[in-house]
mmCIF file of all heavy atoms in Angstrom:
data_model
loop_
_atom_site.group_PDB
_atom_site.id
_atom_site.type_symbol
_atom_site.label_atom_id
_atom_site.label_comp_id
_atom_site.label_asym_id
_atom_site.label_seq_id
_atom_site.Cartn_x
_atom_site.Cartn_y
_atom_site.Cartn_z
ATOM 1 N N GLN Y 66 -23.645 -128.616 57.087
ATOM 2 C CA GLN Y 66 -24.192 -128.828 55.665
ATOM 3 C C GLN Y 66 -23.775 -127.649 54.733
ATOM 4 O O GLN Y 66 -23.448 -127.970 53.619
ATOM 5 C CB GLN Y 66 -25.673 -128.986 55.778
ATOM 6 C CG GLN Y 66 -26.212 -130.339 55.471
ATOM 7 C CD GLN Y 66 -27.710 -130.386 55.508
ATOM 8 O OE1 GLN Y 66 -28.323 -129.975 56.426
ATOM 9 N NE2 GLN Y 66 -28.316 -130.808 54.344
ATOM 10 N N LEU Y 67 -23.940 -126.475 55.253
ATOM 11 C CA LEU Y 67 -23.576 -125.384 54.424
ATOM 12 C C LEU Y 67 -22.135 -125.360 54.081
ATOM 13 O O LEU Y 67 -21.780 -125.087 52.932
ATOM 14 C CB LEU Y 67 -23.924 -124.039 55.171
ATOM 15 C CG LEU Y 67 -25.391 -123.632 55.313
ATOM 16 C CD1 LEU Y 67 -25.451 -122.463 56.353
ATOM 17 C CD2 LEU Y 67 -26.001 -123.238 54.052
ATOM 18 N N ALA Y 68 -21.292 -125.785 55.019
ATOM 19 C CA ALA Y 68 -19.865 -125.801 54.831
ATOM 20 C C ALA Y 68 -19.478 -126.844 53.771
ATOM 21 O O ALA Y 68 -18.722 -126.649 52.881
ATOM 22 C CB ALA Y 68 -19.121 -126.053 56.104
ATOM 23 N N GLU Y 69 -20.187 -127.971 53.797
ATOM 24 C CA GLU Y 69 -19.839 -129.127 52.914
ATOM 25 C C GLU Y 69 -20.260 -128.657 51.528
ATOM 26 O O GLU Y 69 -19.710 -129.095 50.473
ATOM 27 C CB GLU Y 69 -20.547 -130.323 53.282
ATOM 28 C CG GLU Y 69 -19.733 -131.051 54.365
ATOM 29 C CD GLU Y 69 -20.597 -132.115 55.241
ATOM 30 O OE1 GLU Y 69 -21.705 -132.296 54.872
ATOM 31 O OE2 GLU Y 69 -20.025 -132.542 56.258
ATOM 32 N N ALA Y 70 -21.311 -127.716 51.429
ATOM 33 C CA ALA Y 70 -21.700 -127.304 50.108
ATOM 34 C C ALA Y 70 -20.843 -126.116 49.679
ATOM 35 O O ALA Y 70 -21.214 -125.532 48.603
ATOM 36 C CB ALA Y 70 -23.184 -126.937 50.175
ATOM 37 N N GLY Y 71 -19.862 -125.708 50.450
ATOM 38 C CA GLY Y 71 -19.119 -124.567 50.081
ATOM 39 C C GLY Y 71 -19.749 -123.169 50.265
ATOM 40 O O GLY Y 71 -19.489 -122.242 49.597
ATOM 41 N N LEU Y 72 -20.731 -123.108 51.212
ATOM 42 C CA LEU Y 72 -21.518 -121.958 51.326
ATOM 43 C C LEU Y 72 -21.151 -121.161 52.657
ATOM 44 O O LEU Y 72 -21.830 -120.232 52.973
ATOM 45 C CB LEU Y 72 -23.005 -122.203 51.378
ATOM 46 C CG LEU Y 72 -23.514 -122.841 49.991
ATOM 47 C CD1 LEU Y 72 -24.979 -123.158 50.052
ATOM 48 C CD2 LEU Y 72 -23.220 -121.871 48.879
ATOM 49 N N VAL Y 73 -20.163 -121.538 53.442
ATOM 50 C CA VAL Y 73 -19.612 -120.704 54.463
ATOM 51 C C VAL Y 73 -18.187 -120.529 54.240
ATOM 52 O O VAL Y 73 -17.491 -121.262 53.625
ATOM 53 C CB VAL Y 73 -19.865 -121.273 55.895
ATOM 54 C CG1 VAL Y 73 -21.323 -121.511 56.173
ATOM 55 C CG2 VAL Y 73 -19.095 -122.558 56.119
ATOM 56 N N GLY Y 74 -17.705 -119.334 54.892
ATOM 57 C CA GLY Y 74 -16.226 -119.013 54.717
ATOM 58 C C GLY Y 74 -15.849 -118.861 53.231
ATOM 59 O O GLY Y 74 -14.732 -119.244 52.847
ATOM 60 N N VAL Y 75 -16.761 -118.419 52.400
ATOM 61 C CA VAL Y 75 -16.447 -118.308 50.983
ATOM 62 C C VAL Y 75 -15.251 -117.379 50.660
ATOM 63 O O VAL Y 75 -14.652 -117.555 49.673
ATOM 64 C CB VAL Y 75 -17.658 -117.920 50.108
ATOM 65 C CG1 VAL Y 75 -18.698 -119.040 50.077
ATOM 66 C CG2 VAL Y 75 -18.257 -116.639 50.556
ATOM 67 N N THR Y 76 -15.100 -116.394 51.542
ATOM 68 C CA THR Y 76 -13.972 -115.525 51.280
ATOM 69 C C THR Y 76 -12.602 -116.055 51.732
ATOM 70 O O THR Y 76 -11.584 -115.475 51.428
ATOM 71 C CB THR Y 76 -14.125 -114.093 52.009
ATOM 72 O OG1 THR Y 76 -14.235 -114.427 53.411
ATOM 73 C CG2 THR Y 76 -15.451 -113.450 51.562
ATOM 74 N N TRP Y 77 -12.652 -117.176 52.408
ATOM 75 C CA TRP Y 77 -11.424 -117.806 52.893
ATOM 76 C C TRP Y 77 -10.674 -118.362 51.695
ATOM 77 O O TRP Y 77 -11.353 -118.835 50.667
ATOM 78 C CB TRP Y 77 -11.705 -118.959 53.826
ATOM 79 C CG TRP Y 77 -12.198 -118.477 55.225
ATOM 80 C CD1 TRP Y 77 -12.838 -117.373 55.485
ATOM 81 C CD2 TRP Y 77 -12.129 -119.305 56.401
ATOM 82 N NE1 TRP Y 77 -13.241 -117.437 56.802
ATOM 83 C CE2 TRP Y 77 -12.810 -118.648 57.359
ATOM 84 C CE3 TRP Y 77 -11.577 -120.515 56.655
ATOM 85 C CZ2 TRP Y 77 -12.991 -119.043 58.689
ATOM 86 C CZ3 TRP Y 77 -11.724 -121.008 57.996
ATOM 87 C CH2 TRP Y 77 -12.345 -120.268 58.926
ATOM 88 N N PRO Y 78 -9.322 -118.408 51.680
ATOM 89 C CA PRO Y 78 -8.597 -119.017 50.638
ATOM 90 C C PRO Y 78 -9.003 -120.552 50.523
ATOM 91 O O PRO Y 78 -9.315 -121.211 51.508
ATOM 92 C CB PRO Y 78 -7.107 -118.835 51.011
ATOM 93 C CG PRO Y 78 -7.107 -117.757 52.099
ATOM 94 C CD PRO Y 78 -8.411 -117.841 52.764
ATOM 95 N N VAL Y 79 -8.886 -121.131 49.299
ATOM 96 C CA VAL Y 79 -9.176 -122.487 49.032
ATOM 97 C C VAL Y 79 -8.417 -123.461 49.923
ATOM 98 O O VAL Y 79 -8.910 -124.395 50.501
ATOM 99 C CB VAL Y 79 -8.999 -122.769 47.556
ATOM 100 C CG1 VAL Y 79 -9.283 -124.250 47.253
ATOM 101 C CG2 VAL Y 79 -9.884 -121.851 46.684
ATOM 102 N N GLU Y 80 -7.113 -123.127 50.107
ATOM 103 C CA GLU Y 80 -6.294 -124.035 50.898
ATOM 104 C C GLU Y 80 -6.719 -124.236 52.354
ATOM 105 O O GLU Y 80 -6.357 -125.194 52.983
ATOM 106 C CB GLU Y 80 -4.846 -123.620 50.842
ATOM 107 C CG GLU Y 80 -4.638 -122.197 51.341
ATOM 108 C CD GLU Y 80 -3.131 -121.789 51.439
ATOM 109 O OE1 GLU Y 80 -2.338 -122.569 51.867
ATOM 110 O OE2 GLU Y 80 -2.801 -120.628 50.988
ATOM 111 N N PHE Y 81 -7.586 -123.279 52.798
ATOM 112 C CA PHE Y 81 -8.088 -123.380 54.126
ATOM 113 C C PHE Y 81 -9.505 -123.804 54.208
ATOM 114 O O PHE Y 81 -10.220 -123.613 55.257
ATOM 115 C CB PHE Y 81 -7.851 -122.143 54.951
ATOM 116 C CG PHE Y 81 -6.391 -121.719 54.976
ATOM 117 C CD1 PHE Y 81 -5.955 -120.495 54.450
ATOM 118 C CD2 PHE Y 81 -5.431 -122.603 55.536
ATOM 119 C CE1 PHE Y 81 -4.636 -120.133 54.525
ATOM 120 C CE2 PHE Y 81 -4.050 -122.204 55.564
ATOM 121 C CZ PHE Y 81 -3.716 -120.975 55.069
ATOM 122 N N GLY Y 82 -10.031 -124.443 53.098
ATOM 123 C CA GLY Y 82 -11.399 -124.805 53.113
ATOM 124 C C GLY Y 82 -12.409 -123.862 52.570
ATOM 125 O O GLY Y 82 -13.571 -124.105 52.497
ATOM 126 N N GLY Y 83 -11.911 -122.615 52.185
ATOM 127 C CA GLY Y 83 -12.827 -121.647 51.630
ATOM 128 C C GLY Y 83 -12.954 -121.735 50.133
ATOM 129 O O GLY Y 83 -12.572 -122.702 49.591
#
Side-chain angles (χ1 to χ4, degrees):
Chain Y
Q66 245 183 305
L67 289 170
E69 279 157 10
L72 298 177
V73 298
V75 291
T76 59
W77 293 22
V79 177
E80 55 175 317
F81 303 120

